[in-house]
Amino acid sequence: METRRQLLKAIGVSGVALPLSGCTTSGDSGANETTTTAEPTTETTTTEAEPETVTVAVGPEKRLRYEPETVEISVGDTVEWTFESPGHNVTTKSGASPKCKVPDGAEEFASYEGKNHFSINEVGTTYSYTFEVTGEYVYVCTPHAGQGMVGTVIVNE
Ligand SMILES: [Cu+2]
């Protein structure tokens, strides 16, 4: 959360700085109009930093896999898992599997509440999680972790 705010703030500052440097360079009365037309560019830059949602299919075509198995996102982005076949879940909780991993300072998350790690999600439902800490997350489907139903989320700044 903190990193995201700093990023947006940094973009805002550079967006303001650009028209100012434009003024200095051209140095004539037309520079004021240049400043005005530069504003839409600033808005475009801000839009690119908006949080995104990436979708991961859980058990597509009844395979014991996540698709894609690895996703790479930015801080503040959300991953939405869609449950496409029966008997699966999503968890980073260490009690579910030794394969599970979250970065230092990040909280464990799961598509179920509590410690019943074999809780499964109904077909057609979704589970979403928004990543606020950078690093590598390894999650599993508890019932199928031993069969390689493991996924990775890499969160960049
Ligand atoms: Cu599974």
Side-chain angles (χ1 to χ4, degrees), residues 58-59 63-66 83 85-90 120 140-145 147 149-150:
V58 181
R63 289 179 296 123
L64 305 181
R65 286 291 182 273
Y66 298 103
F83 294 91
S85 57
H88 308 296
N89 67 15
V90 167
I120 56 172
V140 305
C141 166
T142 315
H144 305 122
Q147 284 130 293
M149 193 162 177
V150 180

Side-chain angles (χ1 to χ4, degrees), residues 71-83:
V71 294
E72 199 164 342
I73 60 172
S74 299
V75 166
D77 289 347
T78 297
V79 174
E80 182 182 82
W81 287 269
T82 61
F83 294 91

Side-chain angles (χ1 to χ4, degrees), residues 52-54 71-79 129-132 134-135 137 153-157:
E52 291 180 13
T53 297
V54 176
V71 294
E72 199 164 342
I73 60 172
S74 299
V75 166
D77 289 347
T78 297
V79 174
Y129 185 80
T130 301
F131 292 80
E132 303 291 2
T134 58
Y137 298 71
V153 178
I154 296 167
V155 182
N156 300 311
E157 286 195 24

Side-chain angles (χ1 to χ4, degrees), residues 21 29 42 51 97 108 133 141 150 154 156:
S21 62
S29 58
T42 305
S97 165
E108 296 180 348
V133 178
C141 166
V150 180
I154 296 167
N156 300 311

